[in-house]
Amino acid sequence: MKILKYLKYLVTERIIKKLQRTSIGIKIFLSFLLLFLIIMISINLLILNYQKSSLKNQINTNITVLLENVSKDIIDHLVFFDPLAIDEKISIVMNNPGIDYIMLADKNGKIVGHSDKSQLGSYIKMEPSIYKRWQKSDTDGINHINLPVIVGDSYFGILRVGISEDKINAYIEQSTRNLKNYIYILSLIFFLLTVIMAFMLSKTLIKPLQRLKNKMSSIQADKLEICENPSTVFCKDIFNCEKSDCPAYGKERCWFITEAKENCKKCHNIDCKDCYVYKISCGDEIGYLIETFNEMILKLKHSLEELDRTTKEKLRLEKSSAMAEMAMTVAHEIKNPLNAIKASTSYLKANFQGEVLKEFLSIIDKETERLNELITSFLSYARPVPLKYEKGNINNALKDVIKLVETEIKEENKILQTDFDPSIPEFYFDHHQIKQAVLNLLVNATDATEKGDTIMIKTERIDGKIKITIKDSGTGIPEELMGKIFEPFFTTKTTGSGLGLACVERIIKDHEGNIKVTSKLNEGTEFTIELPIKEG
C-alpha cells in the first residue's frame, strides 16, 4: 500500500513538474479545452435530462387523461356488457408506452376485461379500498392505479392499470436516441472550432499568468504580505556597485525604499519605473502587475498601521480628557455637599436643641446620600466591572427591573405598557449590568414624562439578535443635543452626574450589542438596544 502511494506521489509530482515547465500558451490552450468540455458536457446533460423529463411528464399526463376518458367511455360497455368493445378499449390503452397491464372488473369483482386473456372470468378481492381511487407502487417498479367506475352514486365496476417505470424509461431512451446523435455531432464540430480558437488565443497569451495566481494565493486573509517575485535582482549586482552607504545597497525592491528613490532621482535623474533594475526584476507584463500589486499592499499596510496608531492615540486622548473632565466634575459636585456637611456639623457643635439638631441631621443625610451616589457613578464608569455571563430569560430580567419603578410611575399617574416576545430563547448575558442599563433608561423616561404620558418597554427577536425598545411620550431631546447624550457627565438635569447614559452605552457595547436613540421635541424619545443571542 505504501509503495502504491509512493508511486502515485512520484507520478503526480512528475506531472506537476511537467505542467510547471510547460509554456503558458499550452496551459491556456488546455484550460480552454477543459472549460469547453465541462460546458458542453453540462449543456448536453441538461438538454438530455430536460428532454427526458419533459417526455416522461408528457407520457404520464397522456396516460392520466387516457384513463380518465376510458373510465367514462367504458360505462356503457359494462352496463350492456359488450366484450368486444371492452377488448378494443383495452387494446387502445395497451398501445401507450409504459402500460404493463390493464384490468376491468364489474361491480361484483368479476374480471370482464384484461390485457392478459387468461385472467378473464376470475374474480378480484372486494375490499373497502376498491371503491376508492388510489395509487400504489410495488418492488418491481410497477405503479398500480385503481379507478372506480362511478356515475353519480352508482358503482359499476373497477378499472385498474399497471404502469411500468422500466418500460417508460426504455421508451424514452429509444425516443431520445436521435437527439443524442445530433448533440454528439454538434459537440464534435464545436470542439474542433474550440481547439482552433484556443490554439490561436494561447499563442497570443504567452506570459506566466499562473505565477501571479500562485503568488496571490499565498496571501493570507488576515495578513498583508507582498507577492514574491523570483526575478527580483539587486542593483548592486547589476551595476557591480560598492557604495555600501547607499540606502538601496543589498536590499530587495529598492523602488519601495523612499530614501533610495530620492537618491536615484537626485544622483542619476531617473525614476524607478524607468530603471534598468526595475525592468529586469519585473521581466514581463505579469511581473509589472506583481510589483504594482506589491506596491498597493505595502501602501495599504502602512495606511492601516497609521490608522491603527492614530485611532489608539485618539482613544487614549479622549479617555484621558474624559477622565480629567470627570474628575473635575466629581470634585466640584462633592465640594458643595461637603460644605453643607461641614456647616451643619459646626452648627450642631454650638447648638444642641432637639428640633434644630433633627433638621440639620436631615441635611447631613441628604447631602451624604448625594455624595455617595456621585462617587458610585464615578467608580462605576471609571472602573467597569467585568461581565459575568449567565444564562437566563431577558423578559424575566426586565420584569424585575419594572418592579423597581412601577410603583413610582403609577403614583405619578403615568401609563406603563409592556410587550414581551415569548418566543425569545434563553441566552447568556450579564443580568446585573443589563438590568442596570434598562433601569437607567426607565428612570430617564420617568423624569422626562408628565402626568398622563406613556412609557413603553418592548422586546422582540429579529434574526440572531434581541431588540429591546424603551419609548416614552415625554418632552423629547433637542436635535442639537442628540450627539452628546452618551458623553460622560453630559446632562440636562439640575441634579445627577451625567454618567447614566454613558454607562448604558458601555454596558451594551461590552455585550457586543448596539444602542440607538431617536427623539422629537415634545413628542418623546425611543431607545433601541440590540443584543446578540449567545447560546454558549
Side-chain angles (χ1 to χ4, degrees):
M1 195 68 180
K2 291 183 178 180
I3 296 176
L4 290 176
K5 287 184 178 180
Y6 181 73
L7 291 175
K8 184 178 180 181
Y9 169 78
L10 289 178
V11 172
T12 304
E13 187 178 16
R14 290 184 63 183
I15 293 175
I16 293 175
K17 287 183 177 181
K18 190 171 182 179
L19 287 175
Q20 288 176 342
R21 293 192 296 266
T22 304
S23 67
I24 192 66
I26 295 178
K27 293 177 183 177
I28 295 174
F29 173 76
L30 294 177
S31 299
F32 270 98
L33 290 185
L34 180 61
L35 180 62
F36 170 81
L37 289 175
I38 293 174
I39 293 175
M40 287 305 301
I41 291 173
S42 300
I43 293 175
N44 292 344
L45 289 177
L46 286 174
I47 293 175
L48 288 174
N49 289 336
Y50 176 79
Q51 185 65 23
K52 289 180 180 180
S53 177
S54 300
L55 189 57
K56 189 172 185 178
N57 291 335
Q58 183 180 357
I59 291 173
N60 289 330
T61 302
N62 291 341
I63 291 175
T64 302
V65 173
L66 177 63
L67 293 179
E68 291 289 342
N69 294 334
V70 169
S71 66
K72 295 177 182 178
D73 297 340
I74 211 166
I75 295 175
D76 292 339
H77 307 317
L78 276 174
V79 173
F80 299 104
F81 187 61
D82 187 349
L84 293 177
I86 292 174
D87 187 66
E88 182 180 354
K89 292 291 183 182
I90 289 176
S91 298
I92 292 174
V93 175
M94 289 299 297
N95 287 331
N96 283 268
I99 301 298
D100 187 67
Y101 75 89
I102 180 172
M103 179 201 73
L104 179 66
D106 59 16
K107 61 182 179 180
N108 296 320
K110 181 180 180 181
I111 298 177
V112 296
H114 203 291
S115 55
D116 182 4
K117 298 297 187 294
S118 63
Q119 299 292 329
L120 294 175
S122 59
Y123 286 82
I124 62 174
K125 188 176 181 181
M126 302 297 290
E127 299 176 344
S129 61
I130 204 171
Y131 303 104
K132 298 179 182 179
R133 182 171 183 165
W134 49 260
Q135 184 172 332
K136 298 179 181 178
S137 298
D138 58 22
T139 55
D140 296 328
I142 306 298
N143 188 22
H144 304 275
I145 300 176
N146 188 80
L147 292 173
V149 181
I150 300 174
V151 178
D153 296 332
S154 301
Y155 172 75
F156 293 95
I158 183 69
L159 179 66
R160 187 173 296 172
V161 179
I163 302 174
S164 173
E165 195 74 20
D166 293 336
K167 289 184 178 180
I168 292 178
N169 292 334
Y171 176 80
I172 291 174
E173 288 293 332
Q174 179 67 27
S175 300
T176 57
R177 185 171 298 171
N178 291 334
L179 177 62
K180 285 182 180 179
N181 294 333
Y182 292 142
I183 289 177
Y184 293 153
I185 293 173
L186 289 175
S187 298
L188 179 60
I189 294 173
F190 281 116
F191 179 77
L192 295 176
L193 291 175
T194 303
V195 169
I196 297 172
M197 293 178 62
F199 180 78
M200 294 175 61
L201 185 59
S202 64
K203 287 297 182 180
T204 62
L205 301 175
I206 57 175
K207 304 302 177 183
L209 296 174
Q210 190 65 35
R211 187 200 311 165
L212 178 61
K213 177 183 175 182
N214 292 339
K215 298 303 179 180
M216 290 180 64
S217 63
S218 65
I219 299 176
Q220 300 180 6
D222 56 343
K223 294 181 180 180
L224 293 174
E225 298 178 350
I226 63 174
C227 181
E228 296 180 0
N229 185 359
S231 301
T232 304
V233 296
F234 298 99
C235 60
K236 71 178 184 66
D237 298 330
I238 296 295
F239 299 114
N240 295 321
C241 179
E242 296 181 357
K243 294 181 179 180
S244 58
D245 58 340
C246 177
Y249 186 83
K251 295 182 180 179
E252 192 178 38
R253 293 187 174 87
C254 56
W255 49 89
F256 289 160
I257 304 173
T258 304
E259 295 83 359
K261 292 169 64 177
E262 294 175 353
N263 185 63
C264 288
K265 191 73 174 177
K266 181 179 179 181
C267 299
H268 306 290
N269 195 25
I270 187 172
D271 188 77
C272 285
K273 298 298 190 296
D274 299 323
C275 179
Y276 185 65
V277 176
Y278 179 79
K279 292 181 178 179
I280 292 180
S281 297
C282 292
D284 53 26
E285 288 78 4
I286 302 304
Y288 283 99
L289 181 60
I290 289 174
E291 295 307 322
T292 302
F293 175 80
N294 289 337
E295 186 175 4
M296 289 191 304
I297 291 295
L298 288 177
K299 288 183 177 180
L300 179 60
K301 186 176 181 180
H302 293 158
S303 298
L304 291 176
E305 290 174 352
E306 183 64 27
L307 178 62
D308 184 62
R309 286 193 296 268
T310 304
T311 302
K312 289 180 179 179
E313 181 65 16
K314 181 181 178 182
L315 291 175
R316 188 188 67 81
L317 292 174
E318 288 178 350
K319 184 177 181 180
S320 299
S321 177
M323 292 300 293
E325 183 181 356
M326 181 166 57
M328 289 186 295
T329 303
V330 171
H332 177 73
E333 292 293 335
I334 290 176
K335 183 178 179 180
N336 292 334
L338 284 178
N339 289 336
I341 293 172
K342 183 177 180 180
S344 299
T345 304
S346 298
Y347 189 86
L348 285 173
K349 290 180 180 179
N351 300 275
F352 293 93
Q353 291 81 359
E355 293 298 328
V356 176
L357 182 61
K358 182 183 295 185
E359 179 181 354
F360 280 96
L361 283 175
S362 298
I363 295 174
I364 293 173
D365 290 339
K366 181 179 179 181
E367 296 300 334
T368 303
E369 181 63 26
R370 180 185 172 195
L371 179 61
N372 183 60
E373 290 179 358
L374 288 173
I375 294 175
T376 301
S377 298
F378 173 82
L379 294 176
S380 176
Y381 183 77
R383 293 187 300 179
V385 179
L387 296 181
K388 184 179 179 182
Y389 282 101
E390 294 179 348
K391 193 172 185 179
N393 188 295
I394 190 67
N395 291 335
N396 294 336
L398 297 183
K399 289 176 183 178
D400 293 339
V401 177
I402 290 175
K403 292 178 182 179
L404 301 177
V405 296
E406 188 175 18
T407 303
E408 181 181 352
I409 292 175
K410 289 182 179 180
E411 288 178 352
E412 296 178 0
N413 294 320
K414 300 173 184 177
I415 302 171
L416 177 63
Q417 296 178 347
T418 59
D419 183 9
F420 294 141
D421 185 354
S423 67
I424 296 177
E426 290 189 350
F427 64 100
Y428 285 89
F429 61 96
D430 190 312
H431 292 227
H432 174 73
Q433 295 203 39
I434 290 296
K435 287 180 180 180
Q436 184 63 51
V438 175
L439 179 61
N440 288 353
L441 295 177
L442 287 176
V443 170
N444 286 350
T446 304
D447 295 339
T449 51
E450 298 178 355
K451 181 180 179 181
D453 286 339
T454 301
I455 300 173
M456 189 269 288
I457 179 168
K458 177 183 178 181
T459 62
E460 55 184 325
R461 180 180 182 178
I462 301 177
D463 297 329
K465 296 182 179 180
I466 301 301
K467 182 179 179 182
I468 304 173
T469 304
I470 300 174
K471 183 178 181 181
D472 66 70
S473 59
T475 56
I477 303 172
E479 185 176 353
E480 62 271 15
L481 301 180
M482 288 290 290
K484 300 180 179 180
I485 60 173
F486 290 113
E487 293 180 1
F489 308 109
F490 176 80
T491 180
T492 57
K493 302 177 183 178
T494 56
T495 61
S497 63
L499 290 172
L501 289 179
C503 289
V504 171
E505 184 185 40
R506 178 185 56 76
I507 291 172
I508 302 305
K509 294 294 184 182
D510 288 347
H511 279 79
E512 300 178 7
N514 189 28
I515 181 169
K516 299 178 182 178
V517 58
T518 57
S519 182
K520 289 186 178 180
L521 201 60
N522 299 321
E523 292 187 16
T525 303
E526 178 177 317
F527 285 89
T528 302
I529 297 173
E530 291 183 351
L531 296 174
I533 299 178
K534 293 189 176 183
E535 299 180 351

